[in-house]
Amino acid sequence: MMVLEYCNDGNLRNYLNKSKEYMGFGSKIDKLQKIARGLLDIHAAGNVHKDFHSGNILYYYSIPYISDLGMCQPAKRQGKEGIYGVLPYMAPEVLRGQQYTKAADIYSFGIIMNEFLSEEIPYYDIPHDEFLAIKICEGLRPKIPKHIPKFISDLIIRCWDAEVENRLATKELYQILSKLGKEIYDKNSELYYQIKEGDEIGSKKFKNGKSNDDKSKNIQTHPQAVYTSRLINFKSLPKPVNSSDLSSFQFNSDTNYTIQSALTNPISECLDVQLSELELNEICQDCENNIE
């Protein structure tokens, strides 16, 4: 038996639903950085979470913690217990029966990241069945709202790329979020103005949602949408690919952005946060000490 502190703010979905004030991108990026740091600690210990979704991120006095490590196992362990998880957060290669890896956790982080920033539950209005699994393997992803800054949209897409090798490493993800967390307050950075514009739009949507009770409508999920872990066993799913259908995503209308640019470039034009070796060491110095 394990005795843990009670997280009075509930999970990520509870936390967002209970919020009475608009939460800006700056605050959300800070919390995403903390979640990424927790995932980095898990991966640095040689483990994978294997059941990473918003229901397993708990809030204790507004600080997020990764929970439910019951399925957390060494990355090299080849389990035979089947594939368990919450379908919307599971990487396509895992849906096809392959083993969980650190990259699969990163895919889940991308889904969580978009859910946190958009405050929309992924695939809440459709059945979580084999058809959805097929569409995910064919490149379907949750929509990215237009008001989410391009820098952040790129980061989300890098995390949920269908090609495992194209996804960010956990340490790189943490470092980029740390870098962005500083740039959002720098008036000389492009990100500062993207965040400002996004927050203006997001704040208006939040106020309208509160007055029209839109939030309660958003959580009216399809009766076959399942957000608890279960055995997933779909046969003959297609090979995972990235969708070339721009309708699967939404971006700022003033850009010539294409999905392929994000998929073929290690750091896309939008996510132009090339970090020097010195900056990387400074950002993650405390992390390195703890890991070693």
Side-chain angles (χ1 to χ4, degrees):
M1 181 173 63
M2 297 178 66
V3 180
L4 306 174
E5 286 187 288
Y6 177 71
C7 294
N8 58 316
D9 290 325
N11 61 31
L12 175 60
R13 175 50 42 192
N14 302 140
Y15 184 73
L16 292 174
N17 284 340
K18 292 191 301 183
S19 61
K20 297 181 180 179
E21 297 181 356
Y22 172 72
M23 188 188 307
F25 283 112
S27 176
K28 288 183 176 179
I29 290 174
D30 176 70
K31 288 176 171 55
L32 285 168
Q33 178 192 346
K34 289 180 171 62
I35 297 170
R37 173 56 194 270
L39 188 61
L40 177 59
D41 289 340
I42 292 171
H43 288 178
N47 295 323
V48 288
H49 190 286
K50 298 183 67 177
D51 193 21
F52 197 35
H53 56 85
S54 60
N56 284 339
I57 297 175
L58 304 183
Y59 276 80
Y60 184 67
Y61 291 104
S62 299
I63 299 176
Y65 294 91
I66 298 175
S67 69
D68 195 6
L69 300 177
M71 294 179 64
C72 186
Q73 297 175 351
K76 295 182 180 180
R77 179 175 175 179
Q78 300 296 315
K80 298 181 180 179
E81 67 278 7
I83 303 299
Y84 286 84
V86 180
L87 196 156
Y89 302 86
M90 297 174 70
E93 71 275 8
V94 174
L95 292 174
R96 298 183 77 231
Q98 297 180 25
Q99 292 295 320
Y100 272 94
T101 62
K102 295 177 182 179
D105 280 345
I106 293 296
Y107 177 95
S108 301
F109 185 94
I111 302 293
I112 293 169
M113 187 176 182
N114 187 59
E115 178 180 359
F116 193 12
L117 295 173
S118 68
E119 302 194 16
E120 291 283 347
I121 308 174
Y123 314 123
Y124 70 91
D125 55 349
I126 57 176
H128 294 178
D129 54 14
E130 185 172 5
F131 179 74
L132 175 58
I134 292 172
K135 298 304 291 184
I136 289 173
C137 289
E138 292 176 345
L140 177 69
R141 300 292 184 271
K143 288 188 179 296
I144 302 176
K146 294 180 180 180
H147 71 285
I148 293 182
K150 294 179 296 176
F151 284 85
I152 312 303
S153 297
D154 280 353
L155 192 57
I156 293 170
I157 294 172
R158 287 286 308 281
C159 289
W160 68 28
D161 196 295
E163 297 291 338
V164 173
E165 59 272 18
N166 289 342
R167 296 175 199 159
L168 292 164
T170 320
K171 181 178 178 180
E172 184 183 5
L173 172 64
Y174 171 71
Q175 291 167 338
I176 290 176
L177 285 169
S178 299
K179 179 72 172 178
L180 295 180
K182 295 178 180 179
E183 288 193 358
I184 59 177
Y185 301 107
D186 181 3
K187 293 185 178 180
N188 295 319
S189 71
E190 182 182 350
L191 181 60
Y192 172 86
Y193 294 99
Q194 291 183 18
I195 291 290
K196 184 178 179 180
E197 180 182 0
D199 276 337
E200 290 176 356
I201 298 172
S203 179
K204 290 180 181 178
K205 290 182 64 177
F206 181 86
K207 291 178 180 178
N208 291 335
K210 282 295 185 181
S211 61
N212 297 327
D213 200 26
D214 283 344
K215 258 195 173 180
S216 63
K217 294 178 183 178
N218 286 341
I219 61 174
Q220 297 300 313
T221 60
H222 191 281
Q224 295 180 45
V226 182
Y227 290 96
T228 54
S229 297
R230 55 180 174 141
L231 177 65
I232 302 294
N233 187 23
F234 299 131
K235 302 295 185 181
S236 303
L237 294 180
K239 181 180 178 181
V241 295
N242 289 306
S243 175
S244 59
D245 179 9
L246 290 174
S247 66
S248 298
F249 303 88
Q250 293 186 12
F251 300 98
N252 295 333
S253 58
D254 60 344
T255 70
N256 292 322
Y257 185 89
T258 65
I259 289 181
Q260 289 303 317
S261 68
L263 303 179
T264 55
N265 297 328
I267 297 291
S268 73
E269 294 177 1
C270 299
L271 187 59
D272 189 13
V273 287
Q274 300 286 358
L275 305 179
S276 68
E277 190 65 31
L278 178 61
E279 287 176 315
L280 295 182
N281 291 334
E282 289 177 349
I283 291 171
C284 214
Q285 184 174 7
D286 64 323
C287 177
E288 292 288 346
N289 293 335
N290 290 336
I291 291 173
E292 294 176 358

